[in-house]
Amino acid sequence: MSTGTDRIRSRLLPNTAPWRSSRDFRLVWASGAVTMLGSIFTLTAIPLQIADATGSPLAVGAVGAVELVPTVLLGLYGGVLADRADRRTVALVTEIALAALSALLLVNALLGAPLLWPLYVAAGCAAALQGLQQPSLEAMVPRLVPHDQLVAAGVLLSLRWSVVGLAAPGIAGVVIATAGTAPAYLLDVATFLVSIGLLARVRRVPSERDAEAPPLHDLIEGARYAARRPELVGTYLVDLAATVFALPTALFPFLAVESDALWALGLLYSASAAGSLLAAAFSGWTERVHRHGRPVLFSAALVGVVMVAAALCSNIWALLLCLAAAGAAHWLGDTFRGAIWNESIPDRLRGRAAGLELLIGSAGPALGDIRAGGLAARYGIRAALRSGGLACVASTGVLAAALPALWRYDRRTDPQVAAVRAATSGLGEQGG
């Protein structure tokens, strides 16, 4: 009986082998979880301080504009840096700088009359630092775990995001409402100190290539590499289609008002994380999938279908269920996109590929908010939801037809996967 139960559990529950096999992966995973927890407190506190100081929705929305440009520009350079420098060092130095920014926000919050401009400066600088840091963090993972555990490692990383993303916003809201913004910034500083201590214990992950060419040359080389692989281009474009057309975050406040359910606004924001968490919790089956391009396409189409269904929902609970289903589908696409990237991109190019991922990941939601807000203002909220869902399904179908390499991709026979596996054999065990 126990053997049968163990077999079922292994097929359903996430594979924790990367935790067991790599001490460094455990440290990076824990560092990220702690950092995310504190950062959510700061991300909740900054808009609240701006709203209290100005009373202007436009002033609050301007934070997104301040963050987008440095994230995109520094994210691209961060990808180049990740392929030139020691990735652990880049992650550690930027983490220290982020801690200093949170300390400055704490000092500002403790002033008798907190200043407004430091909030925007801190938001822009934090976005720039995260743009520099994120490619190195992502490019580290294939060097920390064995190649055959990369899918499992991606699942564990997404599970971390889902758990923290679901629980932290509610906790942050309660803390800020009862104690103010200063304790939120203090907690963020404390979590950064813990995270820095964890990252400092990770072994160095130096670049394996010469860095004599100008940075722009490296950036162009990375873009050309991606362009030569249509299955990679497909993963970027499918992700962009899903986030631009079917990520209606900007509509959540209006959906809550229209549904006469302001009490559910927080649930609307967390429904996607809840769906992601549920999908990740029963993700053992993902390691037995080899044609990764197909679930990438299916997941984007499913997101579109769910958004069309959401447009038809008048009941708030049905709407929340649709958003949770969309979150689960997004998780599925992200998991297999990450598997394609991690398993098939050479280490010397991995940082620049991560920079491109960051560019797409930042631009898509921002463009999606603009699209959804503009259409909702002209044609109504439900029309914005419905048209976005239909556009997502249609664009996914077009991409599947235009890029058959993504549909045919099979990790068992792909020559890029075989080359990366051979090149990285044994690297993941060094941190065990």
Side-chain angles (χ1 to χ4, degrees):
M1 179 66 69
S2 60
T3 302
T5 302
D6 291 342
R7 187 180 300 112
I8 293 173
R9 185 182 297 113
S10 67
R11 289 178 177 273
L12 291 178
L13 299 184
N15 181 3
T16 59
W19 275 339
R20 299 193 303 271
S21 65
S22 174
R23 166 186 174 273
D24 291 317
F25 179 77
R26 291 194 299 272
L27 291 171
V28 169
W29 191 97
S31 169
V34 172
T35 294
M36 287 171 61
L37 175 63
S39 295
I40 286 175
F41 275 73
T42 291
L43 292 173
T44 304
I46 287 178
L48 181 60
Q49 275 195 295
I50 294 175
D52 287 343
T54 66
S56 168
L58 180 61
V60 176
V63 175
V66 168
E67 292 174 335
L68 179 59
V69 174
T71 298
V72 171
L73 294 181
L74 273 297
L76 291 174
Y77 180 71
V80 173
L81 189 61
D83 288 337
R84 285 172 165 246
D86 178 76
R87 292 166 183 169
R88 193 285 306 264
T89 300
V90 174
L92 184 58
V93 170
T94 50
E95 196 81 348
I96 293 171
L98 286 165
L101 280 178
S102 292
L104 291 175
L105 287 170
L106 173 60
V107 171
N108 185 57
L110 292 173
L111 296 176
L115 301 174
L116 183 61
W117 64 265
L119 302 177
Y120 290 102
V121 171
C125 290
L129 288 167
Q130 288 165 351
L132 288 173
Q133 182 189 66
Q134 194 62 36
S136 286
L137 284 173
E138 292 187 13
M140 284 172 66
V141 174
R143 296 273 295 277
L144 300 182
V145 301
H147 189 269
D148 61 358
Q149 293 179 10
L150 286 173
V151 175
V155 168
L156 293 175
L157 291 170
S158 68
L159 184 63
R160 176 187 69 184
W161 178 90
S162 299
V163 172
V164 178
L166 181 62
I171 299 172
V174 172
V175 170
I176 293 171
T178 56
T181 56
Y185 295 131
L186 178 60
L187 179 64
D188 196 17
V189 172
T191 57
F192 270 124
L193 294 177
V194 174
S195 176
I196 289 167
L198 292 170
L199 281 177
R201 298 175 60 197
V202 176
R203 64 179 170 87
R204 294 179 67 249
V205 186
S207 171
E208 296 186 340
R209 59 183 291 274
D210 295 329
E212 297 179 355
L216 182 59
H217 175 275
D218 281 3
L219 187 60
I220 293 173
E221 181 189 16
R224 285 176 175 169
Y225 170 80
R228 288 195 299 267
R229 293 189 53 192
E231 70 277 16
L232 281 187
V233 174
T235 63
Y236 294 133
L237 294 180
V238 170
D239 186 30
L240 193 62
T243 52
V244 170
F245 294 125
L247 191 65
T249 308
L251 302 181
F252 288 170
F254 305 98
L255 286 168
V257 171
E258 185 185 80
S259 303
D260 194 24
L262 281 175
W263 55 269
L265 180 58
L267 295 178
L268 290 172
Y269 283 109
S270 61
S272 178
S276 298
L277 177 59
L278 186 62
F282 298 98
S283 59
W285 59 274
T286 57
E287 292 189 78
R288 293 184 291 279
V289 176
H290 303 290
R291 298 180 181 273
H292 292 162
R294 297 182 182 186
V296 167
L297 291 163
F298 282 136
S299 66
L302 179 57
V303 170
V305 170
V306 169
M307 285 301 104
V308 173
L312 303 175
C313 293
S314 57
N315 181 277
I316 188 64
W317 294 108
L319 180 59
L320 288 169
L321 183 62
C322 286
L323 293 176
H330 272 299
W331 176 89
L332 182 68
D334 289 344
T335 295
F336 288 107
R337 267 191 297 274
I340 293 173
W341 296 332
N342 286 332
E343 290 187 336
S344 69
I345 298 176
D347 184 75
R348 68 181 185 85
L349 291 159
R350 190 66 190 86
R352 281 163 284 176
L356 289 173
E357 295 161 28
L358 182 61
L359 171 62
I360 298 297
S362 302
L367 293 173
D369 281 345
I370 295 171
R371 181 208 66 83
L375 286 178
R378 186 171 180 84
Y379 300 108
I381 299 169
R382 302 292 171 170
L385 276 176
R386 183 171 58 252
S387 62
L390 292 173
C392 182
V393 174
S395 59
T396 301
V398 170
L399 290 171
L403 298 168
L406 180 60
W407 179 263
R408 294 195 304 263
Y409 177 87
D410 189 328
R411 66 194 294 259
R412 296 168 297 185
T413 58
D414 186 84
Q416 304 282 349
V417 174
V420 171
R421 182 185 296 114
T424 59
S425 177
L427 288 177
E429 288 84 348
Q430 293 176 16

